[in-house]
């Protein structure tokens, strides 16, 4: 394992120092100005036309993309050398979070800025970048990413789309069908994956006006009504040989690394949607009267809102920590973009699983607070409920992401727990609890390595390992943030609640696996004792949180 990989996984062994973790409290004035710019764009430009976009009036989508391009929002994450603004990964994260509130339009936007433009920006030749990036970054042209096929979803390498070099050697002839392609109804270029000679997985830039390229009708989806989703048909499509991205047979390097960025962006979008759902729940709860009192005066409703706040703060801590780590990594010299991005594969999967499952719970509870009105189409929360369900499927299902996390950690983890030495500080109990969580995790990994190390086969075990990795990263991130922002009661309360409830989850997983994998009873009992000896009143803490977040 490289020293940089060890550093990225250090949260598994010790609690991070506050200054080593990037948080939203570290935003610069430029970050805050950018956030305000995106918020104004969403409120002034996107919100007024969302209903039209959701009726599939895609001309409005194209106009919005041009406006986003004028503001530099599409180019923010692209290096200056390639014609972008080079604002860094934290700025890109801010844009992704705030743009989430534009609902279906965000799918078009994120498809463009992420999986649409990044294959060219990161892996394209100088000529490809010069030809395609300028119009993509201004929004004049729209990109789509064509990987999924009817028989190859999560198993991306199982695609059947073929590419054969023409006798003259100037073209590749592509045949096949892609499924569920975002932006396909109005895309100008497609990033298409095909197998050269039916065996070499390769990426191509394919222009939409190529003869033989066509799209199917719009899919009738559960949600995201304002995004274009169609199949892509390739029938003897001639693609110039110079439109190969990267090397023949190395398309998986592009696909998987771009998907890592996509997973982080989905996590950020989920955070933005979670905040919007919480805002809707509070606004509705303050105006809706029951028994001559607003809903937000009832303690069960307040508990739901407190739980939303805790989950949101945990996700926010994780996604911006990862953004900060990405920005730091990209600011240093590196030999290979693929190797650099691959270092963050586990973190991007952690972000994706944590955030998409949190937003699902938050939107569900927000709809519950709306009662019967939340089930009605005219209420925004109903739209969000349908929209967010896809997030646990996008960019690799959460089940696959859990197996990816577990497989990597079982190989790379070095079991050396460092005891917490700050047990008398304001977060002494939390330090003790996270140490207990690490002890449980260490014992689980050691037992897995001894007995059941194939995570593709031992999927129940893989899911438990992944949940513990996710939990440790989230606890560590939130604790470091709470120590940094000591004066912020929200974060302090969130850290106490989140660490306590996450250790309880570890204990439940341990009891479930005890007789299967062999976690020691003594380790479980020690953790249970730490939970039982807690001095905090968690009902009271949640009431305090509700008091803070409900204005």
């Amino acid at each position: 394992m490289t020293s940089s990989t060890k550093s990225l996984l250090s949260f598994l062994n010790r609690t991070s120092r506050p200054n080593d973790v990037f948080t939203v409290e570290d935003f610069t004035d430029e970050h805050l100005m950018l956030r305000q710019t995106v918020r104004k764009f969403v409120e002034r430009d996107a919100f007024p036309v969302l209903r039209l976009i959701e009726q599939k009036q895609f001309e409005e989508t194209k106009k919005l993309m041009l406006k986003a391009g004028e503001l530099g929002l599409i180019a923010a994450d692209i290096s200056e050398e390639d014609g972008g603004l080079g604002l860094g990964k934290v700025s890109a994260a801010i844009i992704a979070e705030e743009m989430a509130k534009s609902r279906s339009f965000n799918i078009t936007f994120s498809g463009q800025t992420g999986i649409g433009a990044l294959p060219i920006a990161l892996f394209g030749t100088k000529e490809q970048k010069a030809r395609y990036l300028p119009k993509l970054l201004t929004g004049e042209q729209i990109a789509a990413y064509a990987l999924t096929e009817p028989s190859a979803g999560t198993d991306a390498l199982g695609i059947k789309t073929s590419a054969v070099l023409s006798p003259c050697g100037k073209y590749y002839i592509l045949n096949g069908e892609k499924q569920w392609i975002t932006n396909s109804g109005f895309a100008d270029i497609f990033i298409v994956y095909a197998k050269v000679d039916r065996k070499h997985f390769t990426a191509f830039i394919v222009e939409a006006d190529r003869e033989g390229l066509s799209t199917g009708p719009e899919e009738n989806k559960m949600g995201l009504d304002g995004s274009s989703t169609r199949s892509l048909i390739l029938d003897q499509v001639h693609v110039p040989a110079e439109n190969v991205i990267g090397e023949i047979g190395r398309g998986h390097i592009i696909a998987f690394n771009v998907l890592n960025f996509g997973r982080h962006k989905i996590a950020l979008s989920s955070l933005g949607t979670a905040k919007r759902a919480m805002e809707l729940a509070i606004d509705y709860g303050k105006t809706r009267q029951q028994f001559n009192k607003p809903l937000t005066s009832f303690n069960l409703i307040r508990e739901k809102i407190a739980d939303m706040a805790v989950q949101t703060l945990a996700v926010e801590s994780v996604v911006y920590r990862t953004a900060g780590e990405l920005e730091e990594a990209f600011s240093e010299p590196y030999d290979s973009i693929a190797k650099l991005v691959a270092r963050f594969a586990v973190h991007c999967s952690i972000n994706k699983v944590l955030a998409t499952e949190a937003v699902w719970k938050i939107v569900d509870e927000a709809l519950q607070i709306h009662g019967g009105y939340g089930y009605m189409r005219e209420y925004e929360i109903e739209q969000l409920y349908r929209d967010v369900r896809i997030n646990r499927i996008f960019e690799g299902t959460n089940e696959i992401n859990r197996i990816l996390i577990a497989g990597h950690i079982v190989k790379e983890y070095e079991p050396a727990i460092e005891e917490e030495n700050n047990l008398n500080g304001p977060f002494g109990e939390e330090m003790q609890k996270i140490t207990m969580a690490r002890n449980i995790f260490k014992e689980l990994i050691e037992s897995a390595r001894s007995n059941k190390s194939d995570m593709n086969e031992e999927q129940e075990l893989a899911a438990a390992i992944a949940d513990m990795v996710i939990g440790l990263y989230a606890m560590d991130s939130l604790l470091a943030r709470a120590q940094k922002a000591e004066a912020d009661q929200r974060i302090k309360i969130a850290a106490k609640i989140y660490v306590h409830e996450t250790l309880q989850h570890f204990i439940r997983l341990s009891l479930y696996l005890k007789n299967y994998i062999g976690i020691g009873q003594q380790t479980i009992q020690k953790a249970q004792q730490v939970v039982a000896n807690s001095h905090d009143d968690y009902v009271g803490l949640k009431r305090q949180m509700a008091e803070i977040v409900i204005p």
Side-chain angles (χ1 to χ4, degrees):
M1 192 192 322
T2 65
S3 58
S4 55
T5 303
K6 285 182 182 178
S7 175
L8 285 173
L9 296 180
S10 63
F11 66 91
L12 296 173
N13 290 321
R14 63 174 177 81
T15 300
S16 299
R17 292 173 296 188
N19 290 337
D20 291 340
V21 175
F22 185 86
T23 72
V24 297
E25 288 73 34
D26 297 316
F27 282 178
T28 64
D29 289 342
E30 288 76 14
H31 289 142
L32 296 173
M33 288 173 59
L34 176 63
R35 183 170 68 181
Q36 194 59 31
T37 297
V38 185
R39 285 180 179 176
K40 286 181 180 178
F41 170 78
V42 172
E43 292 168 8
R44 296 178 183 179
D45 296 309
F47 272 173
V49 296
L50 280 183
R51 287 298 178 191
L52 297 176
I53 288 174
E54 286 165 358
Q55 293 166 8
K56 294 185 170 50
Q57 296 187 29
F58 292 133
E59 286 304 314
E60 298 295 336
T61 302
K62 293 180 182 180
K63 291 177 187 176
L64 273 184
M65 286 296 289
L66 285 170
K67 288 181 181 178
E70 288 171 9
L71 291 170
L73 302 180
I74 301 174
D77 198 19
I78 306 299
S79 70
E80 293 182 85
E81 181 183 355
D82 294 327
L85 299 181
L87 298 184
K89 300 304 176 186
V90 173
S91 292
I94 291 169
I95 295 170
E97 180 198 334
E98 294 299 330
M99 197 65 77
K101 294 162 192 172
S102 65
R103 302 203 300 264
S104 290
F105 174 73
N106 178 55
I107 300 301
T108 300
F109 178 84
S110 60
Q112 178 90 338
T113 58
I115 56 180
L118 284 182
I120 300 172
L122 297 179
F123 298 98
T125 63
K126 288 183 179 179
E127 292 75 18
Q128 289 170 347
K129 293 176 183 180
R131 181 173 181 181
Y132 294 107
L133 284 181
K135 289 187 177 181
L136 290 179
L137 299 186
T138 59
E140 294 174 72
Q141 290 192 339
I142 307 295
Y145 189 81
L147 175 60
T148 301
E149 297 185 1
S151 61
T154 298
D155 180 18
L157 295 180
I159 63 171
K160 294 181 179 178
T161 297
S162 64
V164 177
L165 188 64
S166 64
C168 67
K170 294 183 179 180
Y171 297 93
Y172 282 93
I173 303 168
L174 272 60
N175 286 282
E177 181 179 353
K178 299 293 182 177
Q179 187 178 46
W180 303 328
I181 307 306
T182 298
N183 294 351
S184 51
F186 45 79
D188 298 286
I189 67 166
F190 292 86
I191 307 299
V192 176
Y193 291 88
K195 285 186 175 178
V196 174
D197 299 329
R198 301 191 181 276
K199 58 182 178 179
H200 302 296
F201 191 86
T202 305
F204 296 84
I205 303 170
V206 183
E207 292 152 354
D209 59 3
R210 284 277 161 187
E211 185 178 350
L213 185 150
S214 62
T215 60
E218 289 289 340
E219 300 284 358
N220 293 316
K221 306 188 296 290
M222 176 181 178
L224 298 175
D225 294 332
S227 66
S228 174
T229 308
R230 301 185 181 192
S231 58
L232 175 68
I233 296 96
L234 301 153
D235 182 10
Q236 296 291 108
V237 178
H238 286 55
V239 179
E242 60 266 25
N243 280 27
V244 170
I245 307 176
E247 302 174 35
I248 300 294
R250 302 284 287 174
H252 61 287
I253 301 296
I254 300 166
F256 295 154
N257 283 296
V258 168
L259 286 176
N260 283 331
F261 282 118
R263 287 165 183 155
H264 188 226
K265 291 287 180 69
I266 285 174
L268 288 152
S269 293
S270 295
L271 172 63
T273 303
K275 289 182 179 180
R276 178 62 177 167
M278 185 173 160
E279 177 187 331
L280 292 170
I282 292 172
D283 288 348
Y284 179 83
K286 286 167 64 180
T287 58
R288 175 65 170 167
Q289 296 277 322
Q290 290 286 352
F291 308 106
N292 297 316
K293 295 197 304 186
L295 282 179
T296 50
S297 68
F298 294 97
N299 280 330
L300 279 181
I301 300 298
R302 296 173 75 82
E303 182 185 43
K304 289 180 187 296
I305 292 170
D307 284 334
M308 291 180 194
V310 171
Q311 290 292 320
T312 299
L313 287 166
V315 172
E316 184 178 62
S317 301
V318 163
V319 296
Y320 281 104
R321 174 182 182 167
T322 300
E325 290 171 337
L326 281 165
E327 183 151 316
E328 183 179 0
F330 272 82
S331 69
E332 298 171 353
Y334 55 86
D335 296 327
S336 164
I337 186 70
K339 290 180 180 178
L340 176 62
V341 177
R343 283 173 46 203
F344 289 90
V346 167
H347 291 67
C348 291
S349 289
I350 288 171
N351 278 244
K352 197 262 184 182
V353 175
L354 177 73
T356 59
E357 295 186 358
V359 73
W360 176 247
K361 293 174 186 174
I362 289 166
V363 170
D364 182 68
E365 290 287 42
L367 190 149
Q368 187 73 12
I369 289 171
H370 280 72
Y373 288 102
Y375 205 66
M376 301 298 116
R377 287 276 171 122
E378 63 263 34
Y379 281 79
E380 185 180 347
I381 194 65
E382 185 273 345
Q383 179 74 55
L384 296 186
Y385 188 85
R386 289 185 291 110
D387 284 353
V388 300
R389 183 58 187 87
I390 190 63
N391 288 1
R392 290 188 284 151
I393 300 170
F394 268 156
E395 316 295 35
T397 65
N398 284 9
E399 290 75 19
I400 279 294
N401 275 280
R402 281 184 163 92
I403 293 169
L404 290 173
I405 293 169
H408 184 92
I409 295 299
V410 165
K411 291 178 183 175
E412 297 285 357
Y413 172 67
E414 294 184 359
I417 303 299
E418 296 181 22
E419 293 294 330
E420 304 299 344
N421 55 17
N422 190 24
L423 300 183
N424 296 318
F427 298 100
E429 283 194 11
E430 288 66 45
M431 296 294 184
Q432 188 180 19
K433 287 172 184 174
I434 198 170
T435 297
M436 287 295 103
R438 290 187 176 110
N439 286 335
I440 290 173
F441 176 72
K442 173 177 177 286
E443 192 162 331
L444 178 62
I445 289 289
E446 289 176 339
S447 187
R449 282 174 166 169
S450 300
N451 304 308
K452 304 175 187 295
S453 59
D454 184 352
M455 293 297 101
N456 289 317
E457 181 66 28
E458 298 293 339
Q459 295 189 352
E460 303 95 333
L461 177 58
I465 290 171
D467 278 0
M468 289 188 187
V469 173
I470 294 165
L472 286 170
Y473 191 59
M475 285 191 286
D476 188 63
S477 301
L478 192 49
L479 263 179
R481 183 181 178 188
Q483 292 175 83
K484 182 183 288 189
E486 256 186 291
D488 193 324
Q489 281 296 107
R490 293 175 315 134
I491 302 169
K492 180 179 180 180
I493 293 169
K496 286 180 172 294
I497 293 170
Y498 194 86
V499 170
H500 183 74
E501 293 184 347
T502 303
L503 178 56
Q504 288 180 307
H505 181 53
F506 276 42
I507 292 168
R508 287 192 295 272
L509 287 172
S510 301
L511 291 170
Y512 172 62
L513 293 168
K514 179 171 68 72
N515 294 330
Y516 180 70
I517 195 68
I519 296 177
Q521 186 68 32
Q522 188 177 12
T523 301
I524 298 172
Q525 287 175 343
K526 283 183 179 179
Q528 288 174 319
Q529 193 63 48
V530 168
V531 168
N533 289 341
S534 294
H535 292 95
D536 285 308
D537 167 14
Y538 294 97
V539 173
L541 286 174
K542 290 189 180 184
R543 288 185 177 184
Q544 286 181 49
M545 179 66 87
E547 192 68 30
I548 295 169
V549 300
I550 301 173

